């Protein structure tokens, strides 16, 4: 009887160990699949900066309630390569639209922020990287200074969001939607700390595997300069 009981316990313990082993293996598989899913999202054509860059000298603004959707932007679903100028205008409209929903205020276009954003989008495309930091170590503050936006006589702040996409994911609507899926990017886009905007967009992506599409940098800023 004792032999049978001991044998039964051994079988039960073996079964438990097998189940635990299967669960651990499944958990590791799920983790790998989740990680792979994040990578594949980028490979399918939408890339959003995994880090955000911001220079700030003020406290965060309190959150505000969303307003009803404004009218949809023209050409919001047009792929970038079909009409680059129209898609850039649609991107500016989409950014204004989401800020209006959050009562965040309209942004003024700034030529120096445009220059900083355009240079960074072009550099990412030409040197094949996707990051807020260039291969040489240049960061958002460096780009703002080189463009003439960040001056020694000014107090200033800036935030940057990046994206790349192909086909239907290179549209203004898809780009802003991808940014809004990220809390840190959404925070920059609808922050009341910023009053000015520059957008750079260049045909092509940062990856040789995807020669067509778009690479985008948007820089939001605020500055106050002494006379």
């Amino acid at each position: 009887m004792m032999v049978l009981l001991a044998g039964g316990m051994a079988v039960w313990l073996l079964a438990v160990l097998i189940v635990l082993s299967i669960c651990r293996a499944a958990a590791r598989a799920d983790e790998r699949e989740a990680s792979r899913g994040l990578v594949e999202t980028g490979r399918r054509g939408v890339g959003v900066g995994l880090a955000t860059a911001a220079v700030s000298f003020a406290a965060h603004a309190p959150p505000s309630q969303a307003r009803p959707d404004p009218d949809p932007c023209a050409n919001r679903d047009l792929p970038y390569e079909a009409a680059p100028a129209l898609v850039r205008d649609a991107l500016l409209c989409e950014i204004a639209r989401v800020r209006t929903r959050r009562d965040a205020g309209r942004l003024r276009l700034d030529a120096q922020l445009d220059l900083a954003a355009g240079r960074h989008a072009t550099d990412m495309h030409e040197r094949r990287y996707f990051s807020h930091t260039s291969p040489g170590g240049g960061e958002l503050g460096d780009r703002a200074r080189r463009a003439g936006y960040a001056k020694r006589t000014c107090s200033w702040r800036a935030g940057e969001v990046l994206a790349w996409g192909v086909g239907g994911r290179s549209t203004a609507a898809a780009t802003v939607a991808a940014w809004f899926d990220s809390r840190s990017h959404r925070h920059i886009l609808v922050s009341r700390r910023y009053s000015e905007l520059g957008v750079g967009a260049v045909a092509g992506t940062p990856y040789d595997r995807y020669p067509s599409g778009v690479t985008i940098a948007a820089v939001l800023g605020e500055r106050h300069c002494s006379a």
Side-chain angles (χ1 to χ4, degrees):
M1 182 69 179
M2 292 297 293
V3 172
L4 290 175
L5 182 59
M9 287 294 294
V11 171
W12 181 81
L13 286 172
L14 180 61
V16 169
L17 289 174
I18 291 173
V19 170
L20 289 175
S21 176
I22 292 173
C23 288
R24 283 196 296 269
R28 287 195 296 271
D30 287 343
E31 186 177 3
R32 287 195 298 269
E33 287 298 324
S35 176
R36 188 177 301 117
L38 290 173
V39 173
E40 290 298 322
T41 298
R43 290 177 179 172
R44 283 199 298 270
V46 165
V48 176
L50 298 180
T52 57
V55 180
S56 177
F57 300 98
H60 299 318
S64 56
Q65 293 183 343
R67 290 185 172 187
D69 266 342
D71 292 335
C73 298
N75 303 307
R76 65 192 303 267
D77 296 314
L78 191 66
Y80 182 79
E81 291 193 328
L86 294 180
V87 174
R88 184 181 184 278
D89 288 344
L91 183 61
L92 295 173
C93 177
E94 284 291 306
I95 293 173
R97 184 169 176 259
V98 296
R99 286 181 64 86
T100 297
R101 287 188 62 204
R102 298 298 182 98
D103 195 23
R106 296 188 67 84
L107 299 170
R108 299 185 303 273
L109 285 179
D110 181 87
Q112 292 167 330
L113 291 181
D114 248 10
L115 180 61
R119 284 174 173 173
H120 191 48
T122 300
D123 192 53
M124 287 191 295
H125 172 245
E126 291 182 349
R127 293 208 278 172
R128 296 296 191 261
Y129 70 96
F130 183 65
S131 173
H132 295 282
T133 304
S134 72
E139 297 183 342
L140 173 58
D142 302 312
R143 294 189 287 276
R145 279 186 285 270
R146 285 196 298 269
Y149 187 80
K151 300 177 180 179
R152 292 183 178 179
T153 56
C154 305
S155 62
W156 62 279
R157 62 174 66 92
E160 179 180 74
V161 290
L162 310 175
W164 67 270
V166 298
R169 296 176 183 267
S170 68
T171 68
T175 299
V176 174
W179 282 333
F180 246 63
D181 280 342
S182 161
R183 181 178 179 181
S184 56
H185 293 75
R186 182 170 63 248
H187 170 76
I188 290 176
L189 284 176
V190 299
S191 174
R192 295 183 183 181
R193 296 181 301 166
Y194 304 121
S195 61
E196 297 171 316
L197 171 68
V199 171
V202 59
T205 78
Y207 302 103
D208 291 331
R209 185 175 178 180
Y210 302 102
S212 63
V214 65
T215 302
I216 299 170
V219 181
L220 289 75
E222 170 75 16
R223 67 178 172 178
H224 300 281
C225 301
S226 59

